[in-house]
């Protein structure tokens, strides 16, 4: 929601609070390494992109992503972007280092932001240099074993309002006013001109066709690339509120009557070029206030529900309050749609601005535990080098509390998952599963650690590719088990000794 810039969003807090109270809903919140390649699971990206089914997470009825061999998949990574450069310099801030460092910290996933205004600066004229730059970025991702979702990103609609996303030629405002809010940019979504522009995007036949053509082009150009896992059809979509309509009701109406038809149109357009990659669909950002989505079913076997996880108070600079129940309210709201429509969940964005506040260590641990309960993974915001939301400092070290995201996990499990937990206090990971009757390899991803790691497996017929990982190294450890074996793998801190 209110990310990317170090600005205050207190006006949005008041706006959303008033709107939700008016609807009878209480708000849930109070108040940017070495480049050496690391080891990867050979062929994992190619296998994942041809996934053809789902598994169910234990106890909650929400499907999990699976690959062509039936393995349960987990995606963990970060958003990668260049919002500063455009035109001939577009995407120039993204380098191979981003993907090398991502993998060196144990992550396997990137949500790549692309902008329609850069892709099609004039109606019907697509930028071949921009497409070549996307190709180069995807090649880097594949080289380092990172799955990529191509995200059609917009912030406050696009350049007509001083941001990025939908081209100026596709922006129609009917002459309605727009007033910039330099200290509260998310509030610009509620300006009349911006809201009307969304209505035209959803309703005007020629703009619908233009958006579909854009996606057909991307799917045709990149659908066969081995790094591509899927497409995020539009970032944080918004819409136009009606007179006397509260925000929660407006969000559900926009999702039901405008976003759902748009997603169906774009899905059909993409499927003319690409039958195998996943389609990520988002609700409005209002889901972050504990409001269940009004999205309807998108009839495609590879739909992924991709909500964002932002707390309004924390976006305005507040610390995390573990007692206010926000994560519980969010989880209750966000799990209703995937249960009803039997689709997996991948959280497309999350992460606080002020990650050094006293309770932010707890926030990261609580958020990660929540995601594990219902999702197939997440992409945090944002993999860059510096301050603000950046995951890394300028020397490539994970910043305060961002290191909490780099934990052991299982990118692929060859079987039915019984338990998948991480205890941050003991830095201990536990995976329990019943091995599949189809041949397959379970893969563990272990991030660099000052102590290294010790890996144990309970079943006699299960075997590990390694029982320890030295300090300071990211490794993938493989597990093989005979058919139908109950396997329990435990990863604990090592002795801290090398060799």
């Amino acid at each position: 929601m209110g990310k990317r810039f170090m600005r205050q969003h207190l006006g949005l807090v008041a706006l959303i609070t008033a709107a939700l109270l008016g609807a009878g809903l209480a708000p849930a919140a109070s108040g940017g390494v070495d480049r050496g390649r690391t080891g990867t699971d050979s062929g994992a990206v190619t296998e994942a992109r041809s996934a053809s089914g789902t598994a169910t997470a234990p106890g909650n009825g929400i499907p999990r992503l699976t690959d062509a061999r039936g393995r349960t998949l987990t995606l963990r990574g970060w958003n990668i972007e260049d919002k500063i450069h455009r035109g001939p310099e577009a995407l120039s801030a993204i380098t191979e280092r981003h993907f090398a460092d991502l993998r060196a910290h144990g992550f396997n996933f990137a949500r790549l932001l692309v902008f329609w205004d850069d892709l099609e600066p004039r109606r019907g004229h697509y930028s071949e240099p921009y497409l070549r730059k996307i190709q180069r970025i995807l090649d880097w991702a594949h080289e380092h074993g990172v799955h990529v979702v191509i995200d059609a990103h917009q912030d406050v609609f696009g350049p007509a309002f001083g941001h990025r996303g939908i081209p100026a030629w596709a922006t129609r405002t009917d002459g309605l006013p727009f007033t910039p809010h330099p200290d509260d940019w998310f509030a610009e979504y509620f300006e009349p001109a911006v809201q009307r522009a969304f209505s035209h995007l959803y309703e005007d036949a020629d703009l619908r066709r233009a958006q579909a053509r854009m996606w057909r082009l991307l799917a045709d150009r990149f659908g066969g690339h081995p790094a591509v896992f899927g497409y995020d059809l539009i970032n944080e979509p918004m819409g136009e509120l009606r007179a006397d309509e509260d925000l929660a009701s407006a969000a559900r109406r926009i999702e039901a009557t405008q976003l759902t038809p748009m997603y169906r149109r774009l899905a059909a357009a993409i499927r003319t070029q690409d039958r195998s990659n996943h389609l990520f669909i988002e609700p409005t950002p209002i889901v972050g206030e504990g409001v269940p989505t009004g999205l309807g079913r998108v009839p495609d076997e590879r739909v992924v529900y991709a909500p964002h996880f932002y707390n309004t108070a924390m976006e305005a600079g507040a610390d995390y309050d573990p007692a206010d129940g926000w994560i519980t309210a969010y989880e209750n709201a966000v799990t209703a749609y995937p249960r009803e429509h039997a689709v997996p969940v991948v959280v497309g964005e999350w992460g606080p601005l002020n990650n050094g506040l006293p309770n932010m260590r707890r926030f990261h641990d609580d958020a990660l535990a929540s995601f594990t309960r219902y999702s197939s993974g997440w992409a945090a915001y944002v993999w860059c080098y510096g301050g603000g939301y950046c995951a890394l400092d300028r020397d490539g070290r994970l910043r305060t509390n961002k290191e909490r995201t780099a934990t052991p996990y299982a990118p692929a499990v060859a079987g039915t998952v019984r338990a998948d937990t991480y205890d941050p206090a003991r830095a201990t990971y536990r995976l329990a599963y019943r091995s599949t009757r189809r041949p397959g390899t379970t893969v563990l991803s272990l991030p660099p650690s000052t102590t290294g790691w010790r890996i144990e497996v309970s079943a006699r017929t299960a075997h590990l590719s390694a029982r320890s990982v030295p300090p300071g190294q990211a490794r993938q450890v493989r597990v093989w088990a005979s058919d139908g074996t109950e396997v329990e793998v435990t990863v604990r801190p090592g002795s801290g000794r090398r060799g």
Side-chain angles (χ1 to χ4, degrees):
M1 187 186 292
K3 51 213 170 297
R4 296 86 162 165
F5 302 104
M6 297 183 67
R7 297 174 178 169
Q8 298 300 303
H9 307 128
L10 295 174
L12 178 61
V13 175
L15 175 64
I16 289 182
T17 299
L20 294 180
L21 289 175
L25 294 167
S30 58
V33 182
D34 296 335
R35 289 181 55 194
R37 182 177 179 180
T38 59
T40 64
D41 180 27
S42 178
V45 174
T46 301
E47 291 167 1
R49 64 174 294 275
S50 61
S52 58
T54 57
T56 301
N60 66 16
I62 297 175
R64 292 287 303 271
L65 288 169
T66 60
D67 68 9
R69 291 189 282 172
R71 298 187 301 177
T72 300
L73 300 178
T74 296
L75 304 173
R76 289 196 181 179
W78 292 76
N79 284 258
I80 292 181
E81 66 177 38
D82 180 1
K83 292 188 176 181
I84 303 300
H85 302 96
R86 60 183 70 194
E89 300 302 316
L91 299 176
S92 59
I94 301 174
T95 68
E96 185 177 1
R97 181 190 180 191
H98 285 76
F99 296 94
D101 286 356
L102 197 71
R103 194 66 187 199
H105 285 88
F107 300 109
N108 71 341
F109 181 47
R111 181 174 179 258
L112 174 65
L113 278 59
V114 301
F115 299 104
W116 187 3
D117 58 296
D118 271 324
L119 176 61
E120 192 178 0
R122 292 182 293 135
R123 182 194 290 267
H125 294 269
Y126 299 100
S127 171
E128 184 61 30
Y130 193 66
L131 290 165
R132 288 197 298 268
K133 290 178 181 180
I134 296 172
Q135 174 78 38
R136 181 176 63 180
I137 291 170
L138 294 175
D139 291 347
W140 289 334
H142 179 54
E143 175 68 18
H144 294 284
V146 175
H147 308 292
V148 175
V149 165
I150 298 174
D151 163 44
H153 207 83
Q154 66 80 30
D155 293 317
V156 193
F157 203 78
F161 306 110
H163 296 273
R164 306 300 310 280
I166 288 84
W169 58 260
T171 303
R172 296 169 182 165
T173 67
D174 296 340
L176 293 176
F178 171 76
T179 301
H181 296 258
D183 295 322
D184 187 8
W185 72 266
F186 192 79
E188 294 175 0
Y189 275 111
F190 300 94
E191 285 292 310
V194 176
Q195 297 204 339
R196 183 59 53 84
F198 274 105
S199 291
H200 281 294
L201 177 68
Y202 300 143
E203 303 299 339
D204 291 8
D206 63 326
L207 296 184
R208 290 180 177 184
R209 290 192 296 269
Q211 189 183 25
R213 283 197 302 269
M214 180 267 294
W215 268 118
R216 280 197 296 271
L217 173 68
L218 289 173
D220 177 56
R221 187 68 171 255
F222 303 119
H225 196 287
V228 173
F229 187 84
Y231 313 103
D232 192 331
L233 303 186
I234 187 171
N235 176 69
E236 295 183 354
M238 294 289 280
E240 188 169 6
L241 278 69
R242 295 172 176 168
D244 301 321
E245 185 179 40
D246 65 81
L247 186 56
S249 297
R252 289 193 292 265
R253 173 185 55 79
I254 291 164
E255 289 161 343
T257 66
Q258 293 179 314
L259 294 187
T260 300
M262 180 187 70
Y263 288 147
R264 291 171 178 167
R265 291 193 300 271
L266 298 182
I270 289 170
R271 290 307 183 219
T272 66
Q273 307 298 325
D274 180 351
R275 302 295 303 177
S276 61
N277 284 308
H278 293 77
L279 307 178
F280 285 56
I281 63 171
E282 300 187 28
T284 66
I286 309 308
V287 71
E289 296 307 310
V291 179
T293 184
L295 282 175
R297 179 173 176 268
V298 178
D300 191 278
E301 293 182 354
R302 292 177 177 84
V303 167
V304 178
Y305 184 52
H308 292 182
F309 180 85
Y310 288 112
N311 174 284
T312 303
M314 283 191 282
E315 286 294 287
D319 199 359
Y320 173 56
D321 180 0
D324 76 354
W326 175 72
I327 287 182
T328 299
Y330 174 91
E331 190 170 327
N332 289 338
V334 84
T335 54
Y337 181 87
R339 282 197 187 98
E340 179 181 358
H341 296 282
V343 295
V345 179
V346 173
V347 175
E349 286 188 26
W350 72 282
L353 171 61
N354 296 329
N355 48 279
L357 293 172
N359 289 332
M360 286 302 172
R361 178 185 177 98
R362 170 75 179 274
F363 170 73
H364 281 82
D365 292 344
D366 287 356
L368 292 167
S370 175
F371 300 157
T372 299
R373 287 192 289 270
Y374 62 84
S375 83
S376 288
W378 45 261
Y381 190 86
V382 57
W383 195 253
C384 58
Y385 304 83
Y389 285 94
C390 285
L392 306 152
D393 65 21
R394 298 193 183 281
D395 295 322
R397 296 183 295 261
L398 285 167
R399 296 173 62 222
T400 302
N401 291 318
K402 300 295 187 183
E403 81 281 353
R404 311 298 292 176
T405 64
T407 70
Y409 69 102
V413 178
T416 303
V417 177
R418 310 290 202 196
D420 186 340
T421 60
Y422 178 71
D423 181 349
R426 296 178 174 83
T428 298
Y429 174 68
R430 176 176 172 265
L431 171 69
Y433 67 97
R434 182 178 179 82
S435 63
T436 182
R437 296 191 177 277
R438 297 178 66 186
T441 304
T442 292
V443 181
L444 308 175
S445 177
L446 308 182
S449 166
T450 57
T451 64
W453 301 101
R454 291 184 296 121
I455 308 100
E456 300 171 355
V457 63
S458 62
R460 291 183 178 180
T461 57
H463 306 280
L464 298 168
S465 63
R467 293 189 174 271
S468 64
V469 175
Q473 296 186 20
R475 288 279 182 88
Q476 288 194 334
V477 174
R478 293 162 179 77
V479 186
W480 298 275
S482 57
D483 295 349
T485 301
E486 294 290 344
V487 181
E488 182 170 328
V489 182
T490 305
V491 180
R492 295 186 176 88
S495 65
R497 295 192 300 269
R498 297 181 180 273

